[in-house]
């Protein structure tokens, strides 16, 4: 499959976020995890969204509604606005982003500052503040 990765990297999906989503490699930073989670939303891959979510905040009961919503919108673009920490030498980090999507005839966005941390040596999403 020669599909371009939805994260905006202009790389091939399988060599970019697809490798993280499919478990061929771990996200090396909070930013890589954030991009892979956006990509998982574009594919409504709820298994990966749950797996990459911190165990203390994982929304298991919302699994079906997350999948239904992710499939119902047309994902348009991920815009990274800023990052704080979250590198390979950190244990916590933040990524501020906008995710643009088309829903009910309108362009909408999620604008969030996401908090990531390591759990069992792997980057996971903990929570986010919406703007």
């Amino acid at each position: 499959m020669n599909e371009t990765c939805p994260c905006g990297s202009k790389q091939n999906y399988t060599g970019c976020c697809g490798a993280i989503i499919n478990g061929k490699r771990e996200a090396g930073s909070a930013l890589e995890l954030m991009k892979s989670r956006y990509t998982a939303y574009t594919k409504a891959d709820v298994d990966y969204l749950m797996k990459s979510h911190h165990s203390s905040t994982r929304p298991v009961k919302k699994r079906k509604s997350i999948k239904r919503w992710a499939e119902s919108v047309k994902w348009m673009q991920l815009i990274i606005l800023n990052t704080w920490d979250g590198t390979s030498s950190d244990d916590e980090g933040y990524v501020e982003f906008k995710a643009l999507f088309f829903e009910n005839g309108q362009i909408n966005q999620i604008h969030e500052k996401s908090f990531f941390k390591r759990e069992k040596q792997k980057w996971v999403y903990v929570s986010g503040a919406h703007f």
Side-chain angles (χ1 to χ4, degrees):
M1 182 186 292
N2 275 338
E3 169 191 5
T4 302
C5 193
C7 78
S9 68
K10 298 186 175 141
Q11 295 179 33
N12 181 285
Y13 167 75
T14 20
C16 190
C17 292
I20 298 169
I21 292 168
N22 296 320
K24 292 191 166 108
R25 71 176 184 90
E26 294 296 328
S29 66
L31 178 59
E32 273 194 338
L33 186 75
M34 200 276 117
K35 288 180 172 186
S36 71
R37 284 180 54 83
Y38 169 82
T39 299
Y41 270 102
T42 70
K43 299 185 173 301
D45 187 335
V46 181
D47 290 339
Y48 179 75
L49 292 170
M50 293 296 142
K51 181 179 127 182
S52 62
H53 206 289
H54 195 277
S55 61
S56 68
T57 57
R58 190 174 295 142
V60 176
K61 292 181 180 176
K62 295 182 179 180
R63 182 183 189 94
K64 287 182 183 176
S65 62
I66 292 169
K67 182 169 183 67
R68 194 169 33 252
W69 179 73
E71 289 174 333
S72 75
V73 302
K74 179 176 176 14
W75 295 94
M76 300 171 64
Q77 183 181 16
L78 174 64
I79 303 164
I80 303 300
L81 300 171
N82 210 342
T83 61
W84 298 266
D85 301 324
T87 67
S88 59
S89 61
D90 296 313
D91 289 326
E92 296 182 349
Y94 293 88
V95 177
E96 183 181 356
F97 70 92
K98 288 184 181 181
L100 305 178
F101 60 95
F102 194 74
E103 180 180 36
N104 298 325
Q106 290 185 283
I107 295 176
N108 293 298
Q109 71 175 1
I110 298 167
H111 181 185
E112 180 177 306
K113 182 179 180 184
S114 298
F115 174 52
F116 299 88
K117 69 189 296 187
R118 290 187 191 269
E119 183 175 48
K120 299 177 183 173
Q121 286 76 52
K122 297 177 183 179
W123 283 108
V124 291
Y125 172 80
V126 179
S127 62
H130 290 261
F131 299 97

